[in-house]
Amino acid sequence: MKKFIHLFLATSIAAGTLTACHQEPTNTSEPRAATAEVQSNGKPVIYQVLPRLFGNTNPTNKPWGTIEENGVGKFSDFTPKALQEIKALGADYIWYTGSLHHAVVRDYSAFGISNDDPDVIKGRAGSPYAVKDYYSVNPDLADDPAKRLEEFRALIERSHDAGLKVIIDIVPNHVARNYQSLAKPEGVRDFGVDDDTSVAYARDNNFYYVPGESFRVPVAEDGYLPLNGEAHPLIDGAFKEVPAKWTGNGSRAPQPAQGDWYETVKINFGVRPDGSHDFAELPADLAQKDYRAHAAFWADKDIPSSWKKFREITDYWLAFGVDGFRYDMAGMVPVEFWSYLNSSIKMQKPDALLLAEIYQPDLYRDYVHLGKMDYLYDKVGTYDAIRAVMEGKAGTDPLVDIQESLSGIEDHMLRFMENHDEQRIASPQFAGNPKAGIPAMVVSATSSGAPTLLYFGQELGEPGAGDAGFGKASRTTIFDYWSVPTIRRWNNEGQFNSEKLSESEKSLRDFYAKLLTFSRQSPALTGEYRDLHRYNRERGQNYTDKLYSFARWSGDERLLVIANFADSDATTTLQLPTALVEEWQLAPGKYTLTNQLTQGSVEMVVADDLSAQLPLTAPALAGQILKVTP
């Protein structure tokens, strides 16, 4: 979805410990690795991919191009070989972004699907976050649109056969303006069909209304024209919606602005227009209780209609074989709803992975403890701070405070350096160099026990070049028919190998495979953490704010992680505090530390007073994971 306006910056997070209306439990005796049901097998890796783009090998890439001109990827492009290679990269989960049936321009009326109006569609292919039918999948992605659900079921089965669990999006905050499910099960009612449209709000209305007003298409800005001005029978600057509904981002105007999420309408979860709630309040002590207690709490409660509809949706997809959900803009939906929905999901599938896109740090703890989310986006904290280092806008010092601010929930905070909302690392608008992502990913993937997200093409240094139409350069488009050059080369006519990759692309992919495979298997990375950066900034030799270091350990595995964000080598002597040496039970003497990402080793000396020093060279734009050999 178009990026939300973030209210918090990384520097503000670093300023102090995050708080919420229900405080973090103070019991610290619980092992960190047990913070989420899905983490019992270690530190997961999620591979995010857009099926529309993944298998498309057509190189035309004409801005605003049609399927016939530019081509489109299909579910069937995820062959056993492709999935095997994704698994070999280190992935545990695959997130098929844009699989649900969203509003599209293409005419599928031959399959009983109503046509969508380009006046309320973004791009030619449409936004994956304007869902039109929650019980079906995008007909663009099927070889036979009439059998699109069967083809998606087969994709899930192939994914499972490859050892990958499947995640899909749920977009609870909004749906397409032309929502109409053809595939809904018997007894399910569409959103809005039972609404009282004469009032702005009623608890069991699924939408909010502007009574007495008709919806009007936004006034175009900067010369924008649907389909870039191409003639289309439905393009007339109008869309019939009487009365007008509130727009997805909360705009109450019958004519939203061009920058609003005008292609969607906002779902009513029982939140009155004044912000007060029309549902039961969660007792504060449920923050310390598991999903079973949450499910029991809601069992006898009267709840809004929209809550029930989303439970029907997730029930359907769980039965279909899906293993988890990524929730779009979860912070715009009340935490009580998440308690209700997520406890229901966990009662059916305790190991389901539940991931929330959220950008409000003051809500983090509530959404973990009361909302029963497994993981939240760590965007406005760790991502933004690391990005600032990569762009030369800041040093690494703020990372220490951010890590401390997340104490107690750090293993719930999904780490990433790219996704569909963010600019590609290799794009000129970001770092302009895919190698800049190496130290960033080492820190991102090893500084907590939370999952690591890898966005398809990131492992090849994809720059996201070219204006695709509605989608602009630097972010791989989610709105247009397009293909991804690095993925095309890796595809290599279905062989999915390195034959057509450049040496730098091969090297980068090898790095990602080593890092992700190690991170998901290492006990230490779901174990204890100690910052070494602040200690070395005060005492270290030639230790600058372009370096970052910390220790991780569990059982007999002891790791030192050091990253160099500078474009030149750094020679330094890393100092270890006595408390860490004692914790690791290291006697005076010499220890060999082996690099887990590349060949080579370094030597550490523990003195009689249990101080420890590690002379080393930190290569430019690189990271090291050094394992202590007993």
Side-chain angles (χ1 to χ4, degrees):
M1 158 113 249
K2 187 177 179 181
K3 290 180 67 179
F4 187 60
I5 298 174
H6 306 309
L7 302 179
F8 301 88
L9 299 175
T11 52
S12 68
I13 300 174
T17 301
L18 304 176
T19 58
C21 57
H22 301 287
Q23 294 298 313
E24 176 78 12
T26 56
N27 181 7
T28 59
S29 61
E30 182 181 2
R32 284 176 53 183
T35 53
E37 295 283 346
V38 296
Q39 213 168 35
S40 59
N41 293 324
K43 179 180 168 69
V45 173
I46 302 170
Y47 190 81
Q48 182 192 3
V49 59
L50 273 77
R52 181 199 292 159
L53 306 182
F54 177 80
N56 186 13
T57 57
N58 184 329
T60 303
N61 280 359
K62 173 186 174 182
W64 291 99
T66 65
I67 283 181
E68 291 74 18
E69 292 169 321
N70 282 357
V72 68
K74 303 288 184 179
F75 292 137
S76 58
D77 293 320
F78 292 91
T79 62
K81 172 63 171 172
L83 294 167
Q84 175 188 336
E85 292 301 317
I86 291 170
K87 177 66 177 176
L89 193 58
D92 301 283
Y93 290 82
I94 187 163
W95 167 15
Y96 290 117
T97 305
S99 294
L100 292 176
H101 185 177
H102 58 78
V104 298
V105 173
R106 204 162 194 246
D107 186 342
Y108 286 104
S109 58
F111 301 93
I113 300 170
S114 63
N115 286 324
D116 295 306
D117 188 338
D119 287 304
V120 288
I121 292 179
K122 290 181 176 177
R124 183 178 292 278
S127 168
Y129 296 101
V131 176
K132 177 178 179 174
D133 185 348
Y134 258 116
Y135 294 97
S136 191
V137 290
N138 184 355
D140 278 351
L141 306 180
D143 293 313
D144 180 354
K147 297 181 179 179
R148 56 194 182 279
L149 279 169
E150 291 94 324
E151 292 186 28
F152 188 58
R153 190 187 300 275
L155 173 58
I156 293 175
E157 292 173 356
R158 289 197 302 278
S159 302
H160 288 165
D161 288 345
L164 294 165
K165 294 185 176 182
V166 172
I167 298 172
I168 64 170
D169 287 282
I170 296 293
V171 190
N173 182 64
H174 46 269
V175 294
R177 296 208 97 95
N178 188 30
Y179 187 90
Q180 182 184 35
S181 175
L182 296 178
K184 58 184 179 294
E186 185 177 353
V188 170
R189 304 278 290 171
D190 270 351
F191 286 101
V193 296
D194 299 315
D195 283 5
D196 177 0
T197 62
S198 68
V199 295
Y201 167 85
R203 193 200 69 161
D204 289 317
N205 276 358
N206 299 135
F207 303 127
Y208 299 92
Y209 295 91
V210 187
E213 295 273 7
S214 298
F215 172 79
R216 300 193 300 281
V217 172
V219 174
E221 298 176 359
D222 300 324
Y224 172 77
L225 293 171
L227 302 186
N228 203 35
E230 180 182 314
H232 186 281
L234 293 179
I235 295 178
D236 57 4
F239 176 77
K240 185 177 181 181
E241 182 181 283
V242 183
K245 303 179 181 77
W246 289 15
T247 292
N249 62 325
S251 171
R252 307 182 185 191
Q255 184 177 34
Q258 184 77 25
D260 289 328
W261 304 344
Y262 63 85
E263 78 278 22
T264 66
V265 291
K266 186 170 180 62
I267 296 289
N268 166 26
F269 283 92
V271 178
R272 302 182 185 94
D274 65 5
S276 61
H277 291 173
D278 216 348
F279 45 76
E281 182 178 350
L282 283 171
D285 65 352
L286 276 182
Q288 286 78 39
K289 296 182 179 179
D290 68 8
Y291 64 84
R292 299 172 186 86
H294 284 248
F297 173 80
W298 292 110
D300 62 353
K301 300 298 186 295
D302 184 26
I303 56 174
S305 167
S306 295
W307 293 30
K308 299 173 186 176
K309 282 182 164 51
F310 275 101
R311 178 171 176 172
E312 291 169 342
I313 290 164
T314 54
D315 284 353
Y316 172 86
W317 287 111
L318 289 173
F320 203 88
V322 165
D323 303 293
F325 304 105
R326 179 266 189 187
Y327 297 130
D328 185 76
M329 296 309 298
M332 298 181 75
V333 179
V335 72
E336 290 84 357
F337 164 75
W338 294 120
S339 165
Y340 165 80
L341 184 70
N342 289 342
S343 62
S344 167
I345 291 170
K346 292 288 190 179
M347 290 295 288
Q348 300 171 70
K349 189 176 178 62
D351 65 345
L353 186 146
L354 306 176
L355 167 63
E357 179 191 21
I358 183 170
Y359 302 120
Q360 299 104 305
D362 61 328
L363 299 180
Y364 285 173
R365 285 171 169 77
D366 278 358
Y367 275 61
V368 169
H369 298 299
L370 287 173
K372 311 316 293 179
M373 293 293 183
D374 291 317
Y375 305 112
L376 314 177
Y377 270 35
D378 189 0
K379 195 280 179 191
V380 298
T382 302
Y383 169 88
D384 280 354
I386 293 178
R387 175 169 179 150
V389 179
M390 296 167 69
E391 293 180 301
K393 296 178 179 178
T396 52
D397 295 346
L399 283 166
V400 179
D401 291 330
I402 290 171
Q403 185 78 7
E404 291 176 353
S405 76
L406 298 173
S407 177
I409 60 169
E410 64 270 53
D411 289 352
H412 292 279
M413 303 303 296
L414 174 83
R415 297 291 171 84
F416 58 86
M417 289 311 304
E418 285 189 1
N419 64 41
H420 67 276
D421 280 324
E422 308 302 338
Q423 292 174 317
R424 292 287 193 171
I425 292 169
S427 70
Q429 294 84 352
F430 187 171
N433 179 1
K435 291 183 179 179
I438 292 177
M441 281 299 295
V442 169
V443 173
S444 182
T446 63
S447 56
S448 81
T452 302
L453 174 71
L454 185 71
Y455 189 41
F456 81 120
Q458 179 183 347
E459 71 275 21
L460 300 172
E462 172 59 38
D467 288 354
F470 194 90
K472 302 304 179 186
S474 79
R475 294 181 181 87
T476 296
T477 179
I478 67 171
F479 303 105
D480 308 281
Y481 298 117
W482 202 249
S483 65
V484 181
T486 55
I487 294 292
R488 290 201 314 263
R489 291 195 292 275
W490 174 62
N491 182 310
N492 191 19
E493 298 179 353
Q495 297 184 73
F496 295 97
N497 60 25
S498 61
E499 186 177 295
K500 293 185 177 180
L501 298 180
S502 68
E503 290 303 315
S504 61
E505 289 168 344
K506 292 176 187 177
S507 175
L508 191 66
R509 194 173 193 278
D510 182 61
F511 157 75
Y512 275 99
K514 288 179 179 178
L515 173 64
L516 296 175
T517 299
F518 178 82
S519 72
R520 64 185 289 272
Q521 296 174 347
S522 168
L525 296 184
T526 55
E528 299 301 317
Y529 174 95
R530 181 185 291 272
D531 171 63
L532 299 177
H533 179 78
R534 183 175 288 159
Y535 188 84
N536 279 273
R537 286 284 282 154
E538 295 170 352
R539 300 169 178 81
Q541 302 173 19
N542 301 319
Y543 187 96
T544 72
D545 69 350
K546 296 300 182 183
L547 299 173
Y548 192 68
S549 59
F550 49 89
R552 302 300 311 270
W553 71 97
S554 178
D556 293 333
E557 186 176 66
R558 305 174 183 91
L559 305 176
L560 296 176
V561 180
I562 182 165
N564 180 11
F565 289 86
D567 57 8
S568 59
D569 294 352
T571 300
T572 186
T573 298
L574 194 68
Q575 310 281 338
L576 272 61
T578 301
L580 177 62
V581 176
E582 292 175 340
E583 178 72 32
W584 281 4
Q585 299 180 346
L586 299 180
K590 294 182 179 180
Y591 295 84
T592 299
L593 281 69
T594 55
N595 195 327
Q596 303 302 293
L597 299 180
T598 62
Q599 293 182 345
S601 62
V602 294
E603 192 172 83
M604 179 176 71
V605 177
V606 176
D608 291 340
D609 64 358
L610 297 186
S611 63
Q613 294 188 341
L614 180 66
L616 56 80
T617 296
L621 297 179
Q624 302 176 62
I625 302 176
L626 303 175
K627 185 175 182 179
V628 179
T629 303

